[in-house]
Amino acid sequence: MNRKDGRGPLEMRPLVITPNYNAFAEGSALVELGQTRVLATVSITDGVPRHVHPRRSGWLMCEYSLLPRATPTRTQRERFKLGGRTQEVQRFLGRAFRAALDLKALAGKTVIVDADVLQADGGTRVASILGGYAALFLALDRMVRDGTLDDWPLLEFGAVSLGWFGEDRVLLDLTAIEDENAWADLTVVATRDGELIEIHGGGEGRPVPRAVYERMVAAGLEVIPSLVAAVHRAVSKPLS
Amino acid sequence: MNRKDGRGPLEMRPLVITPNYNAFAEGSALVELGQTRVLATVSITDGVPRHVHPRRSGWLMCEYSLLPRATPTRTQRERFKLGGRTQEVQRFLGRAFRAALDLKALAGKTVIVDADVLQADGGTRVASILGGYAALFLALDRMVRDGTLDDWPLLEFGAVSLGWFGEDRVLLDLTAIEDENAWADLTVVATRDGELIEIHGGGEGRPVPRAVYERMVAAGLEVIPSLVAAVHRAVSKPLS
Amino acid sequence: MNRKDGRGPLEMRPLVITPNYNAFAEGSALVELGQTRVLATVSITDGVPRHVHPRRSGWLMCEYSLLPRATPTRTQRERFKLGGRTQEVQRFLGRAFRAALDLKALAGKTVIVDADVLQADGGTRVASILGGYAALFLALDRMVRDGTLDDWPLLEFGAVSLGWFGEDRVLLDLTAIEDENAWADLTVVATRDGELIEIHGGGEGRPVPRAVYERMVAAGLEVIPSLVAAVHRAVSKPLS
Amino acid sequence: MNRKDGRGPLEMRPLVITPNYNAFAEGSALVELGQTRVLATVSITDGVPRHVHPRRSGWLMCEYSLLPRATPTRTQRERFKLGGRTQEVQRFLGRAFRAALDLKALAGKTVIVDADVLQADGGTRVASILGGYAALFLALDRMVRDGTLDDWPLLEFGAVSLGWFGEDRVLLDLTAIEDENAWADLTVVATRDGELIEIHGGGEGRPVPRAVYERMVAAGLEVIPSLVAAVHRAVSKPLS
Amino acid sequence: MNRKDGRGPLEMRPLVITPNYNAFAEGSALVELGQTRVLATVSITDGVPRHVHPRRSGWLMCEYSLLPRATPTRTQRERFKLGGRTQEVQRFLGRAFRAALDLKALAGKTVIVDADVLQADGGTRVASILGGYAALFLALDRMVRDGTLDDWPLLEFGAVSLGWFGEDRVLLDLTAIEDENAWADLTVVATRDGELIEIHGGGEGRPVPRAVYERMVAAGLEVIPSLVAAVHRAVSKPLS
Amino acid sequence: MNRKDGRGPLEMRPLVITPNYNAFAEGSALVELGQTRVLATVSITDGVPRHVHPRRSGWLMCEYSLLPRATPTRTQRERFKLGGRTQEVQRFLGRAFRAALDLKALAGKTVIVDADVLQADGGTRVASILGGYAALFLALDRMVRDGTLDDWPLLEFGAVSLGWFGEDRVLLDLTAIEDENAWADLTVVATRDGELIEIHGGGEGRPVPRAVYERMVAAGLEVIPSLVAAVHRAVSKPLS
């Protein structure tokens, strides 16, 4: 199965990460995954929501948003009502970051990860995970250097998306046009050593045979370590 | 690992389905899964949203809502803003039903599946899938009898939830209190013969070893055929 | 004037009350009045709104909502804006319950009566009053048994609706179709011994002669004691 | 029972009506009832809402609003959410005007009655009815003179409010401070010859004996003809 | 260039100010500028928004609103969303009043200026400034008499609008119809001795030559002292 | 008066413009003005709003938004209500672009200029004008090359902001911290040859002497031609 950009089925698009893109945030990174471009910023403030005990834990939440011309035709801004897709994506991202971060180490603090999509050509939640991980890494590293954080609280993790196109055709890292034509898709968030943080997939109009599903999970887990390594190179920090 | 209600780890709670609970809907069912109680109704109307070609396809959407006292303490109604969890659940449900239904067979029609949770003790999305399947089955069966539908367009499918409690402890069909204590959870929607329609899972604060994850998927797929059979008994229709 | 269901003009539809339908609420009842079906739950929590002095008084408010398929064709959920009819009905219900309950006896507490209409065939505010009365009775009775309430604070009361169909034609307890054809309607909330708690009526397109109006009030007051008695039988508590 | 302003119990406050206060509306009137001041305007436009058949009927709706400093302390504007009281009042007003107006005579047209309260010292819905009646009268009279309306479609009607203060103490036309102290209140909308258009009343914290209730209705009906006459004098049109 | 109402190009419409129009507000005035009619009320309450230090400063904000039939055809009320024009106008007004008032003299207090437009024939923001100035003057004067304010904190100021109609045609105090036809417009808020408080102008579809712009500013500044004097006559207070 | 960054009082910060930053928009530019960074995109679609005649004119509107971490501390997203400042800025921008563009040349089309602020250090509306001008230029140029536009419809224009700091201290192109300390500010939008498109200014807490005001306007007009030239260099198009 040929891809328009000549990639192999399990090949990622070029991944470029610009750390500290934003001058004000505690941590930030601009992630380019092919034509997809996500600006991730991390804000850390004092105080936690009511449902969290401030001496025992911190909190993390995520916001995700598309700029109107991130898409080939202009998408309306969500100014009066938050769309279901946006809510679903930011809940997905928030859960993933909370699972990878030891919130007890940030007792009494709230971390906000903002993922703003400047350009969307598929894989925006993957780019949000990778950019958010880089931004969070930089913010935590600053805290360690400031002496406000003792132990490193963040797992090494990454994410990838995959699609099924019938029979045994599985592609990694779908562009927007590939995503539209997929029979099913899957997003995998996992640690560098292959433990699952979040997994979300489903058929678009038809169910997925179990063997195909297992191949997709395996292919996703295989590529994640190289993505984690790429982030670490970008922020100039060795892997653990 | 003992469960408060004495169930085995991979045992479902009692499942009671009352078909045609509602006098007006094209199809309806009240599902009781232990103390969880969901009223599912199916409405079928003419017309489709703009993004659907009316001669080539129909459309299906799902709405999900908790009554305020579905929960041990009263939950505020969503009257001015729709919460993220509600949106996420109803998107999950909508995708599952669309994947299982041949929308081309309902060209020009919109199906709305409403899942209203009267009482919530864990597993509300599972009960919504089972109740919605029953209600949709009844609505489509009526169309077949009316002669407005020729070929049966619905796959036989069901859903189940599972939780991980550390090491090799996996439980099926969690109550609310079990769900709160789980280290990770997973919802599996699949056909009677084990093809995956939708899968959604993640760690709550820690990642899941791959072997545990695979055991959870397998245990879920194993129990689904018996749930599909239970729905068919309730609506008095043989399995295919 | 013949009624489709063969009732006499001043005859109620069958009234069935299932107490304690909900497992979590402080009090609850499912009321079936013909095809109309309302689930009433009562929640009692500590704290009062700002405009109430917590040591001198408690507070009661009511919320009313239709499930989307309570009606013959699907009604849109009120998720972003609350409709005028809903607000009017719940204010009507709230005033009635506050007039019948001695709020001083519940100083510092807020009572919320939720009336969720599962099926609507006319008379939903009457069913809400009867169900809310049953649920409130059960919740207060539990407080008496717990020793958290000394004196019984609730009047014995009920409600009924009536319609005028021209000349001397007055019908009690209208179905939806009867309600649509009425020239005027009236809802009466009153105590068992005939004192008025709330009255609300008006012509639909034409004014009502005073003599007819008085007949409607009289007919309403006559039937209310039997409705109060029916609720008491359902909750197994004698009338005072 | 003495009133602060020296009125007898069944005496109205001074009523001053300025017709054509607004330069643009099809009809308008400024009503002063004691210190209460309501600006009513009537707008008549082509087109009807969907639920009305344009060749068979017209439609009328009413909007009611308090200016922020209509009240002794400033009331917040309803700019993002419409309060329950506002909705209830404008539904009450709309029903009353629809019952008094022959909508068939205005087929295909929508009438909007706007009642804006410049100052509120009790009786704002009464002043809205009287001002709206005057404004509607002027708008219809203009249509008759233009030849766009053949038969006079409006009943002669008015409104009044009453309060109960225990035992046999009934007061007419309550000020804000009287209204707060009433044990029950009642608003009566009726034609000049005593037919009821809308009635709405209830106890504030205690039920009303039936005899008292009947006295209130009677006292209301007795004063309405003089109010209708006052409006007619203001707009310089004889009663029928 | 002839004006429909026979005015000279730099002539104002008749200005009538009724002080203390409202019975409850700390200060109020009804301003009539030709057919434009604005009711301004000033409310002064204890407490300031968070961003203000209560011991060092007070705060002032402004709300502006059109009654629906202020306009030749009915304008929809802003009940669920605030329009851009309304927000822009009330921010303009708020800034002007804050620049003219010494907020330190009102430490810990919030002033709300409400400008409600009863009728709009151009110049509503000018009438709001003049009416708000009168109302604020009366409210502050009351504080001085009460002994709660020592030094007079308000500059003497006013406002005016102007339009450009091509070449050297400049008109003062535009009506609505003139405003629609202007090639550019300008609003000037300034003190009696010609210092600028706020200026806002722009071309409607074409840019304004600098010389014309300077003529407009000069003409505006020339007329403002007479407007300030008119307000002072209306509130019976000499100019400083 | 010394500036922190060593600039002279009437010196601009470095201006960097990256044309075609976005892959999808009809025109786009990333503008960096010191630390301020705005992404402007232009979308051109068929169809016009109702108030525009599609054969006689086109329409242009502008949306402006801050990313949450554009600011030193995180600013909440406007997801449910649009703030007054945002509305005011985007109305200001929209008017400016409409005054500079011959809408008749784009009959039947709607142009949307989106200005998304990635980083805000003062001058965001100036950067939005410059970036929007560049993006619009590129979009129109493409239309000329496509043959869908005959005559060049856009004036050559730019914008600049200025502040007053007491006495004769006037600074050009304020940073955020300078803006906070200014006694008054002014934004000037004008053509390359000094005609005014939009002007907006006011005192922050005190009025501005007329001579100072005139100096600010003159200084603004003097610098604008060099800014227009900078944009033209960036998009590689000669000035007219």
Side-chain angles (χ1 to χ4, degrees), chain E residues 84 88 95 196 199 201 208 213, chain F residues 88 95 196 199 201 208 213:
Chain E
E88 186 181 53
R95 271 194 306 263
L196 287 152
I199 196 156
V208 183
Y213 177 73
Chain F
E88 187 181 53
R95 270 193 306 262
L196 287 152
I199 195 155
V208 183
Y213 176 73

Side-chain angles (χ1 to χ4, degrees), chain E:
Chain E
M1 195 189 178
N2 294 326
R3 304 180 82 164
K4 286 210 175 156
D5 51 10
R7 277 189 287 157
L10 300 183
E11 196 181 331
M12 296 289 295
R13 289 174 286 178
L15 172 65
V16 180
I17 299 174
T18 308
N20 302 312
Y21 182 83
N22 177 292
F24 301 128
E26 279 70 53
S28 68
L30 180 71
V31 170
E32 293 166 273
L33 181 62
Q35 288 225 80
T36 291
R37 203 180 273 164
V38 173
L39 172 51
T41 57
V42 161
S43 303
I44 303 185
T45 52
D46 289 330
V48 285
R50 275 200 207 173
H51 63 89
V52 178
H53 190 299
R55 260 185 279 166
R56 293 197 204 135
S57 183
W59 186 245
L60 179 146
M61 50 179 287
C62 191
E63 288 191 2
Y64 168 95
S65 180
L66 288 180
L67 258 62
R69 208 49 202 275
T71 44
T73 57
R74 191 176 181 273
T75 304
Q76 229 183 310
R77 292 174 193 271
E78 297 179 315
R79 291 187 145 178
F80 299 104
K81 206 188 275 194
L82 207 43
R85 182 183 172 271
T86 298
Q87 295 237 43
E88 186 181 53
V89 173
Q90 62 190 23
R91 282 170 66 86
F92 177 87
L93 298 174
R95 271 194 306 263
F97 284 109
R98 281 194 297 274
L101 179 65
D102 180 6
L103 290 168
K104 289 190 296 296
L106 292 162
K109 292 191 187 301
T110 291
V111 178
I112 303 182
V113 180
D114 283 292
D116 285 273
V117 181
L118 306 188
Q119 213 161 269
D121 186 26
T124 63
R125 70 186 81 184
V126 166
S128 299
I129 289 282
L130 298 176
Y133 176 67
L136 190 51
F137 197 106
L138 291 165
L140 295 169
D141 187 59
R142 178 188 288 195
M143 288 177 75
V144 169
R145 282 184 283 118
D146 287 357
T148 54
L149 187 67
D150 297 327
D151 298 316
W152 188 250
L154 187 62
L155 295 178
E156 291 170 358
F157 76 108
V160 75
S161 71
L162 301 104
W164 176 50
F165 295 80
E167 295 172 21
D168 61 350
R169 287 188 293 268
V170 168
L171 299 185
L172 192 82
D173 185 26
L174 309 186
T175 61
I177 199 99
E178 290 172 342
D179 191 60
E180 267 172 44
N181 293 314
W183 292 20
D185 58 17
L186 184 74
T187 304
V188 181
V189 186
T191 63
R192 186 159 65 98
D193 46 356
E195 295 204 307
L196 287 152
I197 284 177
E198 184 108 9
I199 196 156
H200 196 163
E204 278 299 318
R206 87 201 70 191
V208 183
R210 191 166 165 193
V212 168
Y213 177 73
E214 281 167 6
R215 265 195 66 208
M216 291 170 85
V217 174
L221 290 176
E222 204 160 329
V223 80
I224 282 175
S226 69
L227 300 175
V228 181
V231 175
H232 277 252
R233 276 195 304 277
V235 301
S236 307
K237 299 285 165 183
L239 291 160
S240 67

